[in-house]
Amino acid sequence: MTPTFTIPPIGDAEVVALPAQGSWPEAVHQFDEHSALAVRAALAAQRPLLIRGEPGVGKSQLARAAAVKLGWVLLSEVVHARSESQDLQWRYDAVGRLGDAQAIGAAKLDMAVARAELAQSHYVSPGPLWWAFDWDSALAQHDQATKQYSPPSLPPGQTRPTGCVVLIDEIDKAEAELPNGLLETMGNGGFAVPWLDQAVRSRADMPPPLVIITTNEERELPAAFVRRCMVLQLPQPDKDRLIERGRLHFADACSEEVYTKAAEQLLADRAEYERQGLPQPGQAEYLDTLRVLTQLWPNDHAAQLANLERIGQFTFHKHPLADDAY
C-alpha cells in the first residue's frame, strides 16, 4: 500500500534535541545513515520496526528521535512479565469499579442510578494503540471514563496529532501471546473493545502509526512475528563512534584525551568481560563515566583524566572478574 503522507528525509549524522517527557530527561540523539534508513523503510512498508541490541545502545531513544523528527506524538508502553496484548489496546479498572460499587452500596443509591454509575464502559481506558489508531474516539472514551491514565502529551502547537509513534519497550519480557496479539492487531488495523458497541479502527485521515519495538534478547520472539517486522540491529559503537557521541553530549566539558581514554578503557573492559562470559559494559556506561567526570571535576581536564580509571571501577566494573584486583 502506498503511504498517504510524505516520508521526510533524515540526514546522516542529523542531531535531534529530545525534550523531557514522562520519566525521560532532556537528551540529544544523532541519527546515523543505517538507523535513519530503517525508520524511513518501516514508514514506507507500514511495518513495525523491531530494534535489537544490548541495553544502553539507544533503542528507545531512537523512537523518541523519530517522533520529534516527524512531529508526531510519542506513545510508549514498557512491557513486563505480566503484560498482555490487550494492554496495548485498552485497560480495564476492575479495582476502581469495585471501590465505586462499595461506596455506592454504602450510599444506598437507587438501583437504576447505581447500574448507570457502574457501567463497565466507564472503567475502560484507551491504551497506546487506541490513541494511535483513532485519537478522537480515544479522547472521547477518556473523557467519559474514570480517567485512570492521563492522555498523551501533544507536540507544541498541535491540538490534534499529525501522527503517532508507538514505542513498545522490551517486548522480550512478555509471553508469546503479546507479540502474536500485536501482529494480529496491526494486520487488522483495529480491534474490538468489550462493553463498547463499535470497534476501534485506524482512521483514513491519519498516517498509519510507526510502531517501534525493542528487545534485549532475553527471550526468543515468535518467528512469524519477526518475519512481519522490519529489523534493525543496533551494535555497540566502535571507538570513533563512542568519542563522537561523547562530544555530542558533553562538548568541551571533557578533553579529547578524556574522550579517547574512556573509550579505550570501555573497549578493553568489554573484551575481558566477553572473555569471561559476563555481561559487558557499553555505551550507557561510557556516557555515565563522562557524566561523573564532568560533574565532580568540572572544567578540570587534568583531574578528569587522573580520575578516569578510578571512576571506571564503578561504571564499567559491575560484575566481578576472575582476576579482579578491586
Side-chain angles (χ1 to χ4, degrees), residues 92 119 125 144 159 167 170 214 224 226 237 261 271 274 291 297:
Y92 181 69
S125 295
Q144 71 92 37
T159 57
L167 169 62
E170 302 184 359
T214 74
V226 176
K261 292 291 186 182
E274 182 180 23
R291 188 172 295 107
W297 297 280

Side-chain angles (χ1 to χ4, degrees), residues 21-37:
Q21 180 176 350
S23 61
W24 288 313
E26 289 184 5
V28 290
H29 181 85
Q30 185 174 35
F31 283 99
D32 58 66
E33 183 180 6
H34 193 56
S35 62
L37 183 57

